Structures are given as structure tokens and as C-alpha cells.
Amino acid sequence: EEKQRVENEIINGFDLAMRNREFKIYLQPRVSLFDYSIIGAEAVVRWQRPDGTVMIPDAFISLYERNGRIIDLDFFVFEEVVKFLAQNKKKGRKLIPISVNASILHARNSDTVEHYLEILNRYGINPALLEIELTETALLESHQFEFVKQVLDGFRRIGIAVALDDFGFAYSSLSLLKALEVDTLKLDRTFFLNESKRSRNIVCNVIQLAHSLHMNVVAEGIENMEQVHALREMDCDLIQGYVYSRPISADEFEAWREQYEK
Ligand code: C2E
Ligand code: MG
Ligand code: MG
């Protein structure tokens, strides 16, 4: 009953939370293994409740996927990210590409790509500064593979890169690589949890495979420097994880970046 009550509160609270702009973007840096510079960030959503608590996406994304409201939330998050880039552009700061998560539900709407493009045009932001992340499990479960492929190709046609998120978490990942052309492969955190020789071998070879398909490889959920060094040896391109920073608010991110680049 308690669980049901909390879920109902989340579901019924959506419209008011949107109106009060309680959803915030948090940014987590992506660091290059070539020269350790910050060459991107991922935006993840947080719900900042009026009582001061911050809710993480695991608590609400799946509920909004079930009732379809995730579409509005994803567009909102994307617009907040584009706004953030536009503000930085105005201040004359160096712009870095930002990736944004999108639910697979977007594949059902034929005007998804145009909507994203319209937001970019409204703020005068180059599509090359954005990347859309789609999760592997969602793609595998999707019964509308043709539609998924269409949206994915649509993003790439207008110049937005596409990343395959949480790669390796599910079982039949390789068939996805064959079927979908993506720009970035994000190796799932679970690869790095038990660091056996076997899992190192797999990671090493997946990185080579990705490179042979002209993809960039991001290792996700990296928590210590040993992992960073090992991944550099394996020719991985980018690191994202607590070792550099947790996802932090946009203001905190700018301060963090300034400090890091000093
Ligand atoms: P994701 O896209 O794979 O995002 C990465 C998640 O891993 C984030 O959790 C991040 O906080 C966490 N993480 C990053 N580095 C580390 C690390 O070193 N160690 C550990 N233990 N965890 C790390 P978060 O922010 O709770 O997001 C969870 C998921 O919610 C995301 O996974 C994404 O699938 C979904 N999500 C987040 N924002 C959005 C959104 O705006 N729209 C949609 N559709 N989904 C979103
Ligand atoms: Mg992601
Ligand atoms: Mg991920």
C-alpha cells in the first residue's frame, strides 16, 4: 500500500512539478583518455521536491514510461540542456557536447526528430553539440525495431550523434551492433564491477570491435584510477564516473570544470 501511495504521488505530481520547474538537469563530465581533458558531459534528470529532497530518476522514469509522460519530460530535459549551452555561448565560454537520455517511446512518434531540431533552432545551437543516448535493453525489448531505426537515423541525419547506452548489460548486444549505426558505445558499469581476466578480455575486444565500426567508446561507472589506467591501456576513448565527478547541478558543473581546467 505504501509503495502504491508513493507511486500515485509521483504519477499525479507530474504536471505540477513541470509547471513549477522542479525537474533539474545534473551534469556528469566525460574525460578523454587521450589527454585527460573534459570533452563532454551527460545530462541526467533530478526531481527537486519543494520539501528540499532530491529524487533520482530510478524512482520515476519507469512510471512515466508506463503512462507516456516521459515524452514531455525528455523534451523538457533536452530544452534545459540546449538553454544551458545557449547561456554558455552568450558568456563566451567554450562549449562542450552534451548527451541527453531519451526513452524508446519516442520511436512511436513520427515528428520526434523535428521536435528536437525545432528546439535547437529556437536557441541557435549547433546539433553537433548534442548526442542522444538510447539504452540497449530498451532497444532489445522494442517490438518496433523499424521505427527505432528510423528515429535513430533521423537524429544522425540532422547532425545529432546517437549513443548506445548500458551496452553489454543484456545478452544479445552484438545483434544490435549489426543492425544499428551509432556513433558512441557506452560500456555498462557492470563490466567493471568484477575485474576478472575474462571480463578484461571482453572489454578489450569490444573496444577494438567498436573502433573498427568507427564508434567512440565511453566507459561508464568508473570509480578509481586503476580502472582509468587499465582502460587507457585498452585504448578506450572516454571515462565517465565518480572517479572524476558524480552528476552535479549545472552551476556546480561549471565551477568544477573551471577548477579542473586550471
Ligand atoms: P544512465 O543514462 O546509464 O546514466 C548513468 C547513471 O549511472 C546515472 O544514474 C549516474 O549517476 C550513475 N553513475 C555514473 N557514474 C557512476 C559511478 O562511478 N558509480 C556508480 N555506482 N554509478 C554511477 P542516474 O542519474 O540515477 O540515472 C539512472 C538512469 O535514469 C540513467 O542511466 C538513464 O537511463 C535514466 N535517465 C536519467 N535521466 C533521464 C532523462 O532525462 N530521460 C530518460 N528517458 N531517462 C533518464
Ligand atoms: Mg545515459
Ligand atoms: Mg548508462
Side-chain angles (χ1 to χ4, degrees):
E1 260 171 43
E2 174 61 13
K3 185 167 173 260
Q4 193 60 54
R5 193 191 59 78
V6 172
E7 286 193 5
N8 285 341
E9 208 180 285
I10 291 172
I11 291 166
N12 299 329
F14 181 78
D15 288 328
L16 188 62
M18 280 288 267
R19 240 177 292 137
N20 294 343
R21 314 187 70 78
E22 290 171 17
F23 294 105
K24 308 281 179 197
I25 56 162
Y26 273 46
L27 299 169
Q28 185 178 37
R30 279 181 177 180
V31 173
S32 160
L33 280 174
F34 175 66
D35 59 4
Y36 296 102
S37 62
I38 305 162
I39 57 166
E42 175 177 0
V44 285
V45 68
R46 294 287 181 270
W47 185 352
Q48 222 150 57
R49 312 290 295 264
D51 65 5
T53 56
V54 175
M55 204 187 265
I56 57 165
D58 282 346
F60 53 88
I61 295 284
S62 61
L63 293 175
Y64 296 149
E65 278 193 323
R66 232 182 289 157
N67 71 2
R69 305 314 294 271
I70 191 69
I71 302 281
D72 292 332
L73 184 59
D74 281 349
F75 284 141
F76 177 81
V77 168
F78 186 81
E79 184 164 346
E80 290 297 299
V81 167
V82 172
K83 251 192 232 170
F84 170 76
L85 287 167
Q87 277 160 9
N88 275 355
K89 189 174 163 190
K90 220 161 130 192
K91 289 177 190 156
R93 293 206 183 118
K94 193 180 114 218
L95 300 183
I96 54 167
I98 300 186
S99 22
V100 184
N101 297 285
S103 165
I104 208 69
L105 280 188
H106 286 279
R108 283 197 203 150
N109 304 332
S110 56
D111 56 357
T112 293
V113 175
E114 278 81 79
H115 196 126
Y116 278 94
L117 186 60
E118 184 274 316
I119 295 173
L120 286 166
N121 290 340
R122 189 146 31 95
Y123 292 90
I125 290 298
N126 185 345
L129 284 166
L130 277 305
E131 181 176 71
I132 296 290
E133 297 194 3
L134 299 164
T135 55
E136 181 202 62
T137 36
L139 291 173
L140 286 171
E141 283 161 15
S142 171
H143 305 300
Q144 300 160 304
F145 198 75
E146 268 316 300
F147 294 113
V148 173
K149 203 168 147 38
Q150 266 171 33
V151 204
L152 205 147
D153 292 341
F155 280 128
R156 298 183 80 229
R157 205 167 33 245
I158 64 166
I160 297 182
V162 176
L164 202 52
D165 206 352
D166 305 335
F167 183 81
F169 184 73
Y171 292 103
S172 45
S173 318
L174 288 177
S175 62
L176 276 180
L177 281 191
K178 197 174 89 177
L180 302 173
E181 262 184 74
V182 297
D183 307 275
T184 305
L185 201 63
K186 298 196 73 181
L187 295 180
D188 191 66
R189 204 167 79 77
T190 48
F191 270 124
F192 314 107
L193 289 180
N194 77 330
E195 277 169 275
S196 63
K197 191 147 180 285
R198 283 175 73 90
S199 91
R200 269 183 69 110
N201 268 335
I202 294 174
V203 169
C204 198
N205 283 285
V206 168
I207 292 171
Q208 283 181 31
L209 174 65
H211 284 164
S212 73
L213 297 169
H214 312 290
M215 289 183 231
N216 251 327
V217 182
V218 181
E220 195 172 34
I222 301 305
E223 297 186 350
N224 60 61
M225 279 318 276
E226 281 101 82
Q227 293 174 313
V228 173
H229 295 138
L231 282 156
R232 190 169 198 237
E233 288 296 301
M234 292 190 249
D235 232 9
C236 182
D237 303 291
L238 299 162
I239 297 286
Q240 187 183 330
Y242 293 173
V243 66
Y244 290 111
S245 170
R246 286 171 181 261
I248 45 183
S249 74
D251 288 342
E252 286 172 313
F253 181 80
E254 281 310 296
W256 182 88
R257 186 160 86 133
E258 220 164 272
Q259 196 62 35
Y260 184 90
E261 285 173 345
K262 247 192 211 155

Coordinates of all heavy atoms in Angstrom, one line a residue, residues 42-109:
E42 N 27.3 14.2 -19.7 CA 25.9 13.6 -19.8 C 25.0 14.3 -18.9 O 25.3 14.6 -17.7 CB 25.9 12.1 -19.5 CG 24.5 11.5 -19.5 CD 24.4 10.0 -19.3 OE1 25.4 9.4 -19.1 OE2 23.2 9.5 -19.3
A43 N 23.8 14.6 -19.4 CA 22.8 15.2 -18.6 C 21.8 14.2 -18.0 O 21.3 13.3 -18.8 CB 22.0 16.3 -19.4
V44 N 21.6 14.1 -16.7 CA 20.6 13.2 -16.1 C 19.6 14.1 -15.3 O 20.0 15.2 -14.9 CB 21.2 12.2 -15.2 CG1 21.9 11.1 -16.0 CG2 22.2 12.8 -14.3
V45 N 18.4 13.6 -15.2 CA 17.4 14.4 -14.6 C 17.3 14.1 -13.1 O 17.6 13.0 -12.6 CB 16.0 14.2 -15.3 CG1 15.5 12.8 -15.0 CG2 15.0 15.2 -14.9
R46 N 17.0 15.2 -12.3 CA 16.7 15.0 -10.9 C 15.4 15.8 -10.6 O 15.1 16.8 -11.2 CB 17.8 15.7 -10.1 CG 19.2 15.0 -10.2 CD 19.2 13.7 -9.4 NE 20.5 13.0 -9.5 CZ 20.9 12.1 -10.4 NH1 20.0 11.8 -11.4 NH2 22.0 11.6 -10.4
W47 N 14.7 15.2 -9.6 CA 13.4 15.9 -9.2 C 13.7 16.6 -7.9 O 13.8 15.9 -6.9 CB 12.3 14.9 -9.2 CG 10.9 15.6 -8.9 CD1 10.7 16.9 -8.5 CD2 9.7 14.9 -8.9 NE1 9.3 17.1 -8.3 CE2 8.7 15.9 -8.6 CE3 9.3 13.6 -9.2 CZ2 7.3 15.6 -8.5 CZ3 7.9 13.3 -9.2 CH2 7.0 14.3 -8.8
Q48 N 13.7 17.9 -7.9 CA 14.0 18.7 -6.7 C 12.6 19.0 -6.1 O 11.9 19.9 -6.5 CB 14.7 20.0 -7.0 CG 15.8 20.3 -6.0 CD 17.0 21.0 -6.7 OE1 16.7 22.1 -7.3 NE2 18.2 20.5 -6.7
R49 N 12.3 18.3 -5.0 CA 11.0 18.4 -4.4 C 10.9 19.7 -3.6 O 11.9 20.1 -3.0 CB 10.6 17.2 -3.5 CG 10.9 15.9 -4.2 CD 9.9 15.6 -5.3 NE 8.6 15.5 -4.8 CZ 8.0 14.3 -4.5 NH1 8.6 13.2 -4.7 NH2 6.7 14.3 -4.1
P50 N 9.7 20.3 -3.4 CA 9.6 21.5 -2.6 C 10.1 21.3 -1.2 O 10.5 22.3 -0.5 CB 8.1 21.8 -2.6 CG 7.6 21.1 -3.8 CD 8.5 19.9 -4.0
D51 N 10.0 20.1 -0.7 CA 10.5 19.9 0.7 C 12.0 19.8 0.8 O 12.6 19.5 1.9 CB 9.9 18.6 1.3 CG 10.3 17.3 0.6 OD1 11.2 17.4 -0.3 OD2 9.8 16.2 0.9
G52 N 12.7 20.0 -0.3 CA 14.2 20.0 -0.3 C 14.8 18.7 -0.6 O 16.0 18.7 -0.8
T53 N 14.0 17.6 -0.7 CA 14.7 16.4 -1.1 C 14.9 16.3 -2.6 O 14.2 17.0 -3.4 CB 13.8 15.2 -0.7 OG1 12.5 15.3 -1.3 CG2 13.6 15.1 0.8
V54 N 15.8 15.5 -3.0 CA 16.1 15.3 -4.4 C 15.9 13.9 -4.8 O 16.4 12.9 -4.2 CB 17.6 15.7 -4.7 CG1 17.9 15.4 -6.2 CG2 17.9 17.1 -4.4
M55 N 15.0 13.7 -5.8 CA 14.7 12.3 -6.2 C 15.5 11.9 -7.4 O 15.5 12.6 -8.4 CB 13.2 12.2 -6.5 CG 12.6 10.9 -6.3 SD 10.9 10.9 -6.9 CE 10.0 11.1 -5.4
I56 N 16.0 10.7 -7.4 CA 16.8 10.2 -8.6 C 15.9 9.5 -9.6 O 14.8 9.1 -9.2 CB 17.9 9.2 -8.2 CG1 17.4 8.0 -7.4 CG2 19.0 9.9 -7.4 CD1 18.3 6.9 -7.3
P57 N 16.3 9.5 -10.8 CA 15.4 9.0 -11.9 C 14.9 7.6 -11.8 O 13.8 7.3 -12.2 CB 16.2 9.1 -13.2 CG 17.6 9.5 -12.8 CD 17.6 10.0 -11.4
D58 N 15.6 6.7 -11.1 CA 15.1 5.4 -11.0 C 13.7 5.3 -10.3 O 13.0 4.4 -10.6 CB 16.1 4.5 -10.1 CG 17.3 4.1 -10.9 OD1 17.3 4.2 -12.1 OD2 18.3 3.7 -10.3
A59 N 13.5 6.3 -9.5 CA 12.2 6.3 -8.8 C 11.0 6.7 -9.7 O 9.9 6.4 -9.4 CB 12.3 7.3 -7.6
F60 N 11.3 7.4 -10.8 CA 10.1 7.9 -11.5 C 10.1 7.6 -13.1 O 9.1 7.6 -13.7 CB 9.9 9.4 -11.3 CG 11.1 10.3 -11.5 CD1 11.4 10.8 -12.8 CD2 11.9 10.7 -10.5 CE1 12.4 11.7 -13.0 CE2 13.0 11.5 -10.7 CZ 13.3 12.0 -11.9
I61 N 11.3 7.4 -13.6 CA 11.4 7.2 -15.1 C 10.4 6.1 -15.6 O 9.7 6.2 -16.5 CB 12.8 6.9 -15.6 CG1 13.7 8.1 -15.3 CG2 12.8 6.5 -17.1 CD1 13.6 9.3 -16.3
S62 N 10.5 4.9 -14.9 CA 9.7 3.8 -15.4 C 8.2 4.0 -15.3 O 7.5 3.6 -16.1 CB 10.1 2.5 -14.7 OG 9.9 2.6 -13.3
L63 N 7.8 4.8 -14.2 CA 6.4 5.1 -14.1 C 6.0 6.0 -15.2 O 4.9 5.9 -15.8 CB 6.2 5.8 -12.7 CG 6.4 5.0 -11.5 CD1 6.2 5.8 -10.2 CD2 5.4 3.8 -11.5
Y64 N 6.8 7.0 -15.6 CA 6.4 7.9 -16.7 C 6.6 7.3 -18.0 O 6.0 7.7 -19.0 CB 7.3 9.2 -16.6 CG 7.0 10.0 -15.4 CD1 8.0 10.8 -14.8 CD2 5.8 10.0 -14.7 CE1 7.8 11.5 -13.6 CE2 5.5 10.7 -13.6 CZ 6.6 11.5 -13.0 OH 6.3 12.2 -11.9
E65 N 7.4 6.2 -18.1 CA 7.4 5.4 -19.3 C 6.1 4.7 -19.5 O 5.5 4.5 -20.6 CB 8.6 4.5 -19.4 CG 9.8 5.2 -19.8 CD 11.0 4.3 -20.2 OE1 11.2 3.3 -19.5 OE2 11.7 4.7 -21.1
R66 N 5.6 4.2 -18.4 CA 4.3 3.4 -18.4 C 3.2 4.3 -18.8 O 2.3 3.9 -19.5 CB 4.1 2.8 -17.0 CG 3.8 1.3 -17.2 CD 3.5 0.7 -15.8 NE 4.7 0.6 -15.0 CZ 4.6 0.5 -13.6 NH1 3.4 0.5 -13.0 NH2 5.7 0.4 -12.9
N67 N 3.1 5.6 -18.3 CA 2.0 6.4 -18.7 C 2.3 7.4 -19.8 O 1.4 8.3 -20.1 CB 1.4 7.1 -17.4 CG 2.3 8.2 -16.9 OD1 3.4 8.5 -17.5 ND2 1.9 8.8 -15.8
G68 N 3.5 7.3 -20.4 CA 3.8 8.1 -21.5 C 4.3 9.5 -21.3 O 4.7 10.2 -22.2
R69 N 4.3 9.9 -20.0 CA 4.7 11.3 -19.7 C 6.2 11.6 -19.9 O 6.7 12.7 -20.0 CB 4.3 11.7 -18.3 CG 2.9 11.6 -17.9 CD 1.9 12.1 -19.0 NE 2.0 13.6 -19.2 CZ 1.3 14.4 -18.5 NH1 0.4 14.0 -17.6 NH2 1.4 15.7 -18.7
I70 N 6.9 10.5 -20.1 CA 8.3 10.5 -20.3 C 8.7 11.4 -21.5 O 9.7 12.1 -21.6 CB 9.0 9.1 -20.4 CG1 10.5 9.2 -20.3 CG2 8.6 8.4 -21.7 CD1 11.1 9.6 -19.0
I71 N 7.8 11.4 -22.5 CA 8.0 12.1 -23.7 C 8.2 13.6 -23.4 O 9.1 14.3 -23.8 CB 6.8 12.0 -24.7 CG1 6.6 10.5 -25.0 CG2 7.0 12.8 -25.9 CD1 7.6 9.9 -26.0
D72 N 7.2 14.2 -22.6 CA 7.3 15.6 -22.2 C 8.5 15.8 -21.3 O 9.2 16.9 -21.5 CB 6.1 16.0 -21.3 CG 4.8 15.9 -22.2 OD1 4.9 16.1 -23.4 OD2 3.7 15.7 -21.7
L73 N 8.8 14.9 -20.5 CA 10.0 15.1 -19.6 C 11.3 15.1 -20.4 O 12.2 16.0 -20.2 CB 10.0 14.0 -18.5 CG 11.2 14.1 -17.5 CD1 11.0 15.4 -16.7 CD2 11.1 13.0 -16.5
D74 N 11.4 14.2 -21.3 CA 12.6 14.2 -22.2 C 12.8 15.5 -23.0 O 13.9 16.0 -23.1 CB 12.6 13.0 -23.1 CG 13.0 11.7 -22.4 OD1 13.4 11.7 -21.3 OD2 12.8 10.6 -23.0
F75 N 11.7 16.0 -23.6 CA 11.8 17.2 -24.3 C 12.2 18.4 -23.4 O 13.0 19.2 -23.7 CB 10.4 17.6 -25.0 CG 10.2 16.7 -26.2 CD1 8.9 16.3 -26.5 CD2 11.2 16.4 -27.1 CE1 8.6 15.5 -27.6 CE2 10.9 15.7 -28.3 CZ 9.6 15.2 -28.5
F76 N 11.6 18.3 -22.2 CA 12.0 19.4 -21.2 C 13.5 19.3 -20.9 O 14.1 20.4 -20.9 CB 11.1 19.2 -19.9 CG 11.5 20.2 -18.8 CD1 10.9 21.5 -18.8 CD2 12.3 19.8 -17.8 CE1 11.3 22.4 -17.9 CE2 12.7 20.7 -16.8 CZ 12.1 22.0 -16.8
V77 N 14.0 18.1 -20.6 CA 15.4 18.0 -20.2 C 16.3 18.4 -21.4 O 17.2 19.2 -21.2 CB 15.7 16.5 -19.9 CG1 17.2 16.2 -19.8 CG2 15.0 16.1 -18.5
F78 N 15.9 18.0 -22.6 CA 16.6 18.4 -23.8 C 16.7 20.0 -23.9 O 17.7 20.6 -24.1 CB 16.0 17.8 -25.0 CG 16.8 18.0 -26.3 CD1 18.0 17.2 -26.6 CD2 16.5 19.0 -27.2 CE1 18.7 17.4 -27.7 CE2 17.3 19.2 -28.4 CZ 18.4 18.4 -28.6
E79 N 15.5 20.6 -23.7 CA 15.5 22.1 -23.8 C 16.3 22.7 -22.8 O 17.0 23.7 -23.0 CB 14.0 22.6 -23.8 CG 13.9 24.1 -24.0 CD 12.5 24.6 -24.3 OE1 11.6 23.8 -24.7 OE2 12.3 25.8 -24.3
E80 N 16.3 22.2 -21.5 CA 17.1 22.8 -20.5 C 18.6 22.7 -20.8 O 19.4 23.6 -20.6 CB 16.9 22.0 -19.1 CG 15.5 22.3 -18.5 CD 15.3 23.7 -18.2 OE1 16.1 24.3 -17.3 OE2 14.4 24.4 -18.7
V81 N 19.0 21.6 -21.5 CA 20.4 21.4 -21.9 C 20.8 22.4 -23.0 O 21.8 23.0 -22.9 CB 20.6 19.9 -22.3 CG1 22.0 19.8 -23.1 CG2 20.6 19.0 -21.2
V82 N 19.9 22.5 -24.0 CA 20.1 23.5 -25.0 C 20.2 24.9 -24.5 O 21.0 25.7 -24.9 CB 19.0 23.3 -26.1 CG1 19.1 24.4 -27.2 CG2 19.1 21.9 -26.8
K83 N 19.3 25.2 -23.5 CA 19.4 26.5 -22.9 C 20.7 26.8 -22.2 O 21.3 27.8 -22.3 CB 18.3 26.6 -21.8 CG 17.1 27.5 -22.2 CD 16.3 27.6 -20.9 CE 14.8 27.3 -21.2 NZ 14.0 27.3 -20.0
F84 N 21.2 25.7 -21.5 CA 22.4 25.8 -20.8 C 23.6 26.1 -21.8 O 24.4 26.9 -21.5 CB 22.7 24.5 -20.1 CG 24.1 24.3 -19.5 CD1 24.5 24.9 -18.3 CD2 25.0 23.5 -20.1 CE1 25.7 24.7 -17.8 CE2 26.3 23.3 -19.6 CZ 26.6 23.9 -18.5
L85 N 23.5 25.4 -23.0 CA 24.6 25.7 -24.0 C 24.4 27.1 -24.5 O 25.5 27.8 -24.7 CB 24.4 24.7 -25.1 CG 24.9 23.2 -24.8 CD1 24.4 22.2 -25.9 CD2 26.4 23.1 -24.7
A86 N 23.2 27.6 -24.7 CA 23.0 28.9 -25.2 C 23.5 30.0 -24.3 O 24.1 31.0 -24.7 CB 21.5 29.1 -25.6
Q87 N 23.3 29.7 -23.0 CA 23.8 30.7 -22.0 C 25.3 30.7 -22.0 O 25.9 31.8 -21.9 CB 23.3 30.2 -20.6 CG 21.9 30.7 -20.2 CD 21.3 29.9 -19.1 OE1 22.0 29.1 -18.5 NE2 20.0 30.1 -18.8
N88 N 25.9 29.5 -22.1 CA 27.4 29.5 -22.1 C 27.9 30.1 -23.3 O 29.0 30.8 -23.3 CB 27.9 28.0 -22.0 CG 28.0 27.6 -20.6 OD1 27.7 28.4 -19.6 ND2 28.3 26.3 -20.4
K89 N 27.2 30.0 -24.4 CA 27.6 30.6 -25.7 C 27.6 32.1 -25.5 O 28.6 32.8 -25.9 CB 26.7 30.2 -26.8 CG 27.1 30.5 -28.2 CD 26.1 29.9 -29.2 CE 26.2 30.6 -30.6 NZ 25.1 30.2 -31.4
K90 N 26.6 32.6 -24.9 CA 26.4 34.1 -24.7 C 27.6 34.6 -23.8 O 28.1 35.7 -24.0 CB 25.1 34.4 -24.0 CG 24.4 35.6 -24.6 CD 23.0 35.6 -24.3 CE 22.5 36.9 -23.6 NZ 21.1 36.7 -23.0
K91 N 28.0 33.8 -22.8 CA 29.0 34.2 -21.9 C 30.4 34.0 -22.5 O 31.4 34.3 -21.9 CB 29.0 33.4 -20.6 CG 27.8 33.7 -19.8 CD 27.8 32.8 -18.5 CE 26.5 33.0 -17.8 NZ 26.2 31.8 -16.9
G92 N 30.5 33.5 -23.8 CA 31.7 33.3 -24.4 C 32.5 32.1 -23.9 O 33.7 32.0 -24.2
R93 N 31.9 31.2 -23.2 CA 32.6 30.0 -22.7 C 32.8 29.0 -23.8 O 32.0 28.9 -24.7 CB 31.8 29.4 -21.6 CG 31.8 30.2 -20.3 CD 31.6 29.4 -19.1 NE 31.4 30.2 -17.9 CZ 30.4 30.3 -17.1 NH1 29.3 29.5 -17.4 NH2 30.3 31.0 -16.1
K94 N 33.8 28.2 -23.7 CA 34.0 27.1 -24.6 C 32.9 26.0 -24.4 O 32.6 25.6 -23.3 CB 35.4 26.4 -24.3 CG 35.8 25.5 -25.5 CD 37.1 24.9 -25.1 CE 37.0 23.4 -25.0 NZ 37.7 22.8 -23.9
L95 N 32.2 25.7 -25.5 CA 31.1 24.7 -25.4 C 31.6 23.3 -25.6 O 32.4 23.0 -26.4 CB 30.1 25.1 -26.5 CG 29.4 26.4 -26.5 CD1 28.4 26.6 -27.6 CD2 28.8 26.7 -25.1
I96 N 31.0 22.4 -24.7 CA 31.4 21.0 -24.9 C 30.1 20.3 -25.2 O 29.0 20.7 -24.7 CB 32.0 20.4 -23.6 CG1 31.1 20.7 -22.3 CG2 33.4 20.9 -23.4 CD1 31.5 19.9 -21.1
P97 N 30.2 19.2 -26.0 CA 29.0 18.4 -26.3 C 28.3 17.8 -25.1 O 29.0 17.4 -24.2 CB 29.5 17.3 -27.2 CG 30.9 17.7 -27.6 CD 31.4 18.6 -26.5
I98 N 27.0 17.7 -25.1 CA 26.3 17.1 -24.0 C 25.4 16.0 -24.5 O 24.7 16.2 -25.5 CB 25.5 18.2 -23.2 CG1 26.4 19.2 -22.7 CG2 24.7 17.6 -22.1 CD1 25.8 20.3 -21.8
S99 N 25.4 14.9 -23.9 CA 24.4 13.8 -24.3 C 23.3 13.8 -23.3 O 23.4 14.0 -22.1 CB 25.1 12.4 -24.4 OG 26.2 12.3 -23.6
V100 N 22.1 13.5 -23.9 CA 20.8 13.5 -23.2 C 20.2 12.2 -23.4 O 20.2 11.6 -24.5 CB 20.0 14.6 -23.8 CG1 18.7 14.8 -23.1 CG2 20.7 16.0 -23.8
N101 N 19.6 11.6 -22.4 CA 18.9 10.3 -22.5 C 17.5 10.5 -23.1 O 16.9 11.5 -22.9 CB 18.7 9.7 -21.1 CG 20.1 9.4 -20.5 OD1 20.7 8.4 -20.9 ND2 20.5 10.2 -19.5
A102 N 17.1 9.6 -23.9 CA 15.8 9.6 -24.5 C 15.1 8.2 -24.4 O 15.8 7.2 -24.6 CB 15.8 10.1 -25.9
S103 N 13.9 8.2 -24.0 CA 13.1 7.0 -23.9 C 12.8 6.4 -25.3 O 12.6 7.2 -26.3 CB 11.8 7.2 -23.2 OG 11.0 6.1 -23.4
I104 N 12.8 5.1 -25.4 CA 12.5 4.5 -26.7 C 11.1 4.8 -27.1 O 10.7 4.6 -28.3 CB 12.7 3.0 -26.5 CG1 13.1 2.4 -27.8 CG2 11.6 2.2 -25.8 CD1 14.5 2.8 -28.3
L105 N 10.2 5.2 -26.2 CA 8.8 5.6 -26.6 C 8.8 6.6 -27.7 O 7.8 6.7 -28.4 CB 8.1 6.1 -25.3 CG 7.5 5.1 -24.3 CD1 6.6 5.8 -23.3 CD2 6.8 4.0 -25.0
H106 N 9.8 7.4 -27.8 CA 9.9 8.5 -28.8 C 9.8 7.9 -30.2 O 9.4 8.6 -31.1 CB 11.2 9.3 -28.7 CG 11.2 10.2 -27.5 ND1 10.5 11.5 -27.6 CD2 11.7 10.1 -26.3 CE1 10.7 12.1 -26.4 NE2 11.4 11.3 -25.6
A107 N 10.2 6.6 -30.3 CA 10.2 6.0 -31.6 C 8.8 5.9 -32.2 O 8.6 5.7 -33.4 CB 10.8 4.6 -31.6
R108 N 7.8 6.0 -31.3 CA 6.4 5.8 -31.8 C 5.9 7.1 -32.5 O 4.9 7.0 -33.3 CB 5.4 5.6 -30.6 CG 5.5 4.2 -30.1 CD 4.3 4.0 -29.2 NE 4.6 2.9 -28.3 CZ 4.1 2.7 -27.1 NH1 3.2 3.7 -26.7 NH2 4.4 1.7 -26.4
N109 N 6.5 8.2 -32.3 CA 6.0 9.5 -32.9 C 6.9 9.8 -34.1 O 8.1 9.9 -34.0 CB 6.1 10.6 -31.9 CG 5.3 10.3 -30.6 OD1 4.3 9.5 -30.7 ND2 5.7 10.9 -29.5

